[in-house]
Amino acid sequence: MVEQLGRSGIEVVDVYASYDNHLALESVSFSLNSPFYSLLLGPNGAGKTTLIKVLVGLLKPLKGRVSVYGFNPLTEKNSLSKLVGYLPQPGTSRPSSFIKIRDLVAMGYLSTKRPPRFVSDEVEKVVSDSLRAVGLEDLADRYLNSLSSGELHRAIIASTIARSPRLLLLDEPLASLDFNSKCELAELLLKLHRDRGVDIIMSTHEITHCAYFNPVVILINRKVLAYGSMREVLTVDNLRKAYPSITEVSGLTILAEDHAVKR
Ligand code: ADP
């Protein structure tokens, strides 16, 4: 059941989206009431990226209603862009390697200001606050091409949070990170959520890193198969709907990805 949230959250009601004749989302409905930390979970091709694109107004649904803090992403993009930090899949838009982390973050902040734009004390403060929030203050003068994947992710997140978004929408930010970096990034997002009140929607194939704080999970495979707290959603029956090839070994249900669920 979708709540009427208005400006206090996100509502998606009976949304369909397609590419040419291929239906990528079918009758998708859910609501998230702020504050939320939510995971979009589903196999490859489930429509996670498509749903994120609908939420940021990059894709027009065939039908249905989408409200992000009371704004229509298609017709009120400018108002919404001030509230939403969108991080596409890593590698989709890599910033220039020849700038320093501090300049990337300053550019993030200055993008919210009208020209002429100067690097003032205020900008320096936002840069150092944002870098502290992601644990990169000691690397502020490093060039992007000298960073590991995990550090680059954190630098991009710092440049996004410098704009003080209300919502971070991250498309598979954990992909291509090693196990420790995945844990660190999930932890960092939780800290932003708890300390700064940033709402989070993250598409992912992996949930182990987030299991201990029991986030909201939206399990999709073109349709919403289940949504609610992770502990409610991650039942064998629900997972089997999304991942038909799961198998059971010694009482554990094993997915092709990283989830193991006890019966
Ligand atoms: P996910 O992010 O869960 O892997 P996507 O949203 O990327 O899934 O894709 C959902 C479906 O839509 C897939 O079948 C995919 O092949 C298709 N699709 C995605 N983008 C395009 C596109 N630009 N043109 C045609 N089909 C697309």
Side-chain angles (χ1 to χ4, degrees), residues 19 22 24 43-50 89 172:
Y19 302 96
H22 176 74
N44 283 330
K48 301 182 293 298
T49 300
T50 303
Q89 285 192 12
E172 294 198 26

Side-chain angles (χ1 to χ4, degrees), residues 106-178:
M107 286 184 330
Y109 176 64
L110 288 170
S111 69
T112 63
K113 306 287 168 196
R114 289 176 185 279
R117 303 179 176 118
F118 300 106
V119 179
S120 59
D121 288 349
E122 178 201 345
V123 178
E124 299 284 5
K125 182 172 180 326
V126 172
V127 169
S128 53
D129 284 353
S130 306
L131 289 177
R132 197 172 320 109
V134 301
L136 283 182
E137 61 273 49
D138 294 341
L139 303 188
D141 288 310
R142 287 267 296 274
Y143 285 90
L144 300 187
N145 60 2
S146 72
L147 304 179
S148 69
S149 308
E151 289 163 349
L152 181 63
H153 272 30
R154 284 191 279 148
I156 293 171
I157 290 173
S159 81
T160 306
I161 62 173
R163 296 168 42 220
S164 300
R166 181 167 172 190
L167 168 68
L168 273 183
L169 265 167
L170 307 102
D171 198 353
E172 294 198 26
L174 305 180
S176 81
L177 297 182
D178 65 28

Side-chain angles (χ1 to χ4, degrees), residues 16-85:
Y16 288 69
S18 73
Y19 302 96
D20 302 321
N21 290 327
H22 176 74
L23 197 56
L25 297 176
E26 183 180 343
S27 191
V28 167
S29 298
F30 62 89
S31 56
L32 296 166
N33 197 357
S34 211
F36 56 82
Y37 187 134
S38 172
L39 304 181
L40 262 183
L41 187 69
N44 283 330
K48 301 182 293 298
T49 300
T50 303
L51 178 54
I52 289 175
K53 286 183 177 169
V54 166
L55 291 174
V56 291
L58 289 174
L59 187 69
K60 185 175 179 196
L62 282 179
K63 64 174 260 204
R65 186 167 65 80
V66 180
S67 164
V68 179
Y69 305 123
F71 294 105
N72 179 329
L74 280 174
T75 57
E76 296 172 291
K77 226 179 235 170
N78 286 346
S79 306
L80 207 52
S81 68
K82 296 187 182 96
L83 298 177
V84 177

